[in-house]
């Protein structure tokens, strides 16, 4: 989802008084209510009427215009052809009905070569904006049109290449442009707006990615976008012109590649991640919480200048690669989506699940006293490491049964993250295991 704001400047020769001016080659999905007009030569030029004409020529529409008119067609018969001329009575469901001097002919239009006269009035080959202008002075006028159109969107794509020990990465960023608006934008100035732009939609709201393009000339400069603030959003301006081809996807460098970005790799076992507090306590002793049953692999880095970045990052897809020591090739190791990320904030992505590190959660005891409104639960969390190196794993628990809780027993100290989340950080020996056991008492 996204939209474009297009600015086009063209020169027209106007006479003093009333003029009809046609802007051809505009986007097919233009929003007529968003059109703006400005006479750069004489601001006193007034717009009396405006129209957006999009009734484009097509074979079926042409044939409809020629009903009750004379046409000629050529059809294949055997190894030769036959010409049929007469009055077109019907053109529907792929069949033509022609009244000739010898009677009615019914012909399959897909096998016929049809000859018509001139293009009927009112047909256009391109969408066109038409203005009725009242010019205060005659001569050459520079006229600028501005409008919004669908069919234009962009997204950010990032690539991470991890080093051997997963402590640093090289980062590249691309902008992918999609143009299905119906026209090409040659030698355009390109601006991208990133942010949660409010735009009314008929059925649902989109987190819009806006583009602005102008066809004024601009001196070419180096690759990469220049970032700046715009209202509560961020603007990325390409310091050179570019041609955005019709019906195409193309990529541009968002910012130059950055090497040696410090990253942190984390293994997380979070089997109760889907749980939160309910309106009533969870008192079912056999209740099994939903959540991840595997150990997730995460990578994070700080988006600041000390880490070689410090640029507001538009939301998009981030892919991670790692070099295979056997042949030096880059292998894909996972991908995730990031939201709009300001400078000095952390980027954290999930790349997948660990293969050789597994977790298991067990409820070993549960007691409830409804009269005293208390219950206690004993949990065991076991993490097993089948690698040949020590693995550091974060084990996270969400105490979901009720808001008021007290840890009565534990075999290892824990860290309290928020009102109902606790976690442990443990080192698991090669081909070893680590077990956490705790008892929590809930009151309500």
């Amino acid at each position: 989802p996204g939209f474009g704001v297009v600015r086009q400047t063209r020169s027209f020769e106007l006479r003093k008084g009333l003029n009809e001016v046609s802007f051809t080659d505009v986007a097919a999905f233009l929003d007529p209510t968003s059109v703006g007009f400005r006479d750069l030569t004489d601001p006193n030029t007034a717009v009396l009427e405006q129209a957006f004409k999009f009734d484009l020529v097509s074979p079926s529409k042409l044939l409809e215009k020629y009903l009750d008119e004379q046409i000629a067609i050529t059809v294949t018969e055997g190894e030769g052809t036959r010409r049929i001329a007469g009055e077109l009575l019907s053109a529907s469901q792929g069949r033509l009905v022609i009244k000739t001097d010898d009677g009615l002919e019914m012909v399959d239009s897909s096998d016929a070569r049809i000859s018509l006269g001139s293009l009927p009035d009112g047909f256009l080959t391109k969408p066109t904006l038409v203005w009725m202008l009242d010019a205060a002075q005659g001569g050459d006028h520079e006229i600028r049109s501005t409008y919004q159109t669908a069919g234009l969107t962009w997204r950010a794509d990032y690539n991470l290449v991890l080093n051997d020990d997963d402590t640093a990465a090289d980062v590249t960023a691309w902008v992918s442009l999609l143009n299905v608006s119906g026209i090409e934008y040659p030698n355009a100035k390109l601006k991208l707006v990133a942010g949660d732009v409010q735009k009314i939609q008929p059925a649902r709201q989109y987190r819009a990615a806006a583009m602005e393009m102008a066809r004024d000339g601009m001196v070419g400069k180096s690759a990469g976008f220049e970032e700046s603030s715009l209202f509560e959003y961020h603007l990325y301006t390409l310091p050179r012109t570019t041609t955005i081809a019709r019906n195409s996807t193309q990529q541009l460098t968002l910012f130059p590649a950055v090497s040696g970005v410090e990253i942190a790799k984390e293994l997380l076992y979070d089997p109760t991640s889907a749980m939160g507090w309910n309106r009533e306590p969870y008192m079912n002793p056999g209740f099994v919480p939903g959540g991840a049953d595997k150990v997730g692999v995460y990578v994070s880095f700080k988006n600041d200048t000390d880490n070689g970045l410090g640029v507001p990052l538009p939301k998009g897809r981030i892919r991670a690669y790692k070099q295979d020591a056997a042949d030096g090739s880059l292998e894909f190791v996972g991908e995730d989506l990031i939201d709009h990320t300001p400078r000095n904030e952390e980027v954290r992505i999930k790349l997948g699940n660990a293969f050789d590190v597994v977790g298991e959660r067990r409820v070993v005891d549960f007691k409830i006293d409804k009269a005293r409104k208390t219950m206690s639960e004993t949990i065991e969390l076991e993490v097993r490491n089948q690698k040949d190196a020590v693995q550091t794993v974060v084990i996270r628990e969400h105490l979901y049964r009720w808001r008021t809780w007290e840890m009565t027993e534990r075999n290892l100290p824990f860290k309290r993250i928020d009102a109902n989340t606790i976690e442990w950080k443990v080192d698991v020996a090669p081909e070893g295991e680590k077990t956490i056991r705790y008892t929590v008492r809930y009151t309500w």
Side-chain angles (χ1 to χ4, degrees), residues 2-6 34 147-153 199 209-213:
F3 64 97
V5 179
V6 181
S34 70
Y147 59 84
Q148 290 186 15
T149 179
L152 287 168
T153 191
K199 196 171 189 299
M211 300 171 61
E212 180 177 327
M213 288 178 294

Side-chain angles (χ1 to χ4, degrees), residues 77 85 96 100 131-132 160 233 301 316 361 367 410:
E77 289 188 352
L96 304 178
T100 70
W131 287 290
M132 181 64 71
L160 293 180
Y233 316 123
F301 58 88
R361 185 181 192 271
K367 298 176 183 177
R410 66 182 189 276

Side-chain angles (χ1 to χ4, degrees), residues 134-324:
D134 185 4
Q137 63 182 34
D140 291 334
H141 288 243
E142 292 289 315
I143 294 177
R144 174 176 291 169
S145 69
T146 304
Y147 59 84
Q148 290 186 15
T149 179
L152 287 168
T153 191
W154 69 278
R155 70 170 188 267
D157 290 287
Y158 306 92
N159 292 325
L160 293 180
V161 179
L162 310 180
N163 66 357
D164 292 339
D165 57 0
D166 302 327
T167 59
D170 297 338
V171 180
T172 57
W174 295 89
V175 166
S176 296
L177 305 177
L178 174 65
N179 175 21
V180 289
S181 66
I183 61 171
E184 181 181 271
Y185 301 91
N187 299 319
K189 294 179 182 178
L190 177 63
K191 296 180 181 181
L192 309 175
V193 180
D196 297 338
V197 181
Q198 177 82 353
K199 196 171 189 299
I200 298 173
Q201 301 290 338
R204 57 180 178 174
Q205 289 188 349
Y206 295 116
R207 181 170 290 185
M211 300 171 61
E212 180 177 327
M213 288 178 294
R215 291 190 180 182
D216 304 295
M218 188 174 185
V219 177
K221 295 184 180 179
S222 60
F225 286 78
E226 297 174 351
E227 180 273 331
S228 60
S229 295
L230 176 70
F231 191 57
E232 295 301 316
Y233 316 123
H234 283 275
L235 182 68
Y236 300 83
T237 302
L238 188 66
R240 57 183 174 84
T241 59
T242 186
T243 294
I244 302 174
R246 177 180 177 178
N247 297 332
S248 69
T249 299
Q250 65 192 87
Q251 288 188 307
L252 303 170
T253 300
L254 179 59
F255 56 75
V258 180
S259 299
V261 175
E262 293 183 4
I263 65 170
K265 177 183 172 184
E266 179 182 81
L267 299 181
L268 174 65
Y269 180 49
D270 192 359
T272 56
S273 59
M275 299 305 301
W277 286 326
N278 199 6
R279 292 183 178 180
E280 300 292 336
Y282 285 101
M283 293 183 286
N284 183 354
F287 180 79
V288 178
D293 58 354
K294 293 189 177 183
V295 177
V297 182
Y298 294 82
V299 166
S300 61
F301 58 88
K302 195 71 176 292
N303 178 27
D304 59 15
T305 54
D306 292 340
N307 209 14
L309 295 171
V311 178
L313 302 176
K315 75 169 187 175
R317 183 182 311 213
I318 183 166
R319 299 176 176 88
Y321 299 86
K322 189 159 182 173
Q323 192 174 59
D324 182 2

Side-chain angles (χ1 to χ4, degrees), residues 385-433:
N385 174 24
Q386 307 304 336
K387 286 179 172 283
D388 56 5
V390 175
Q391 298 295 305
T392 300
V393 183
V394 174
I395 302 173
R396 186 172 296 162
E397 277 282 274
H398 302 266
L399 305 178
Y400 55 87
R401 286 195 179 272
W402 192 236
R403 296 177 176 84
T404 307
W405 58 270
E406 177 188 6
M407 188 73 70
T408 58
E409 294 182 26
R410 66 182 189 276
N411 66 337
L412 288 175
F414 64 90
K415 179 181 179 181
R416 184 165 179 162
I417 305 301
D418 57 33
N420 78 320
T421 307
I422 59 176
E423 70 179 27
W424 295 261
K425 192 173 185 178
V426 298
D427 292 329
V428 187
E431 298 186 5
E433 61 185 44

Side-chain angles (χ1 to χ4, degrees), residues 78-99:
E79 297 181 357
T81 60
R82 182 167 67 93
R83 187 174 186 274
I84 303 173
E87 181 183 346
L88 179 64
L89 300 182
S90 173
S92 64
Q93 299 179 349
R95 304 281 291 178
L96 304 178
V97 179
I98 302 171
K99 181 181 179 182

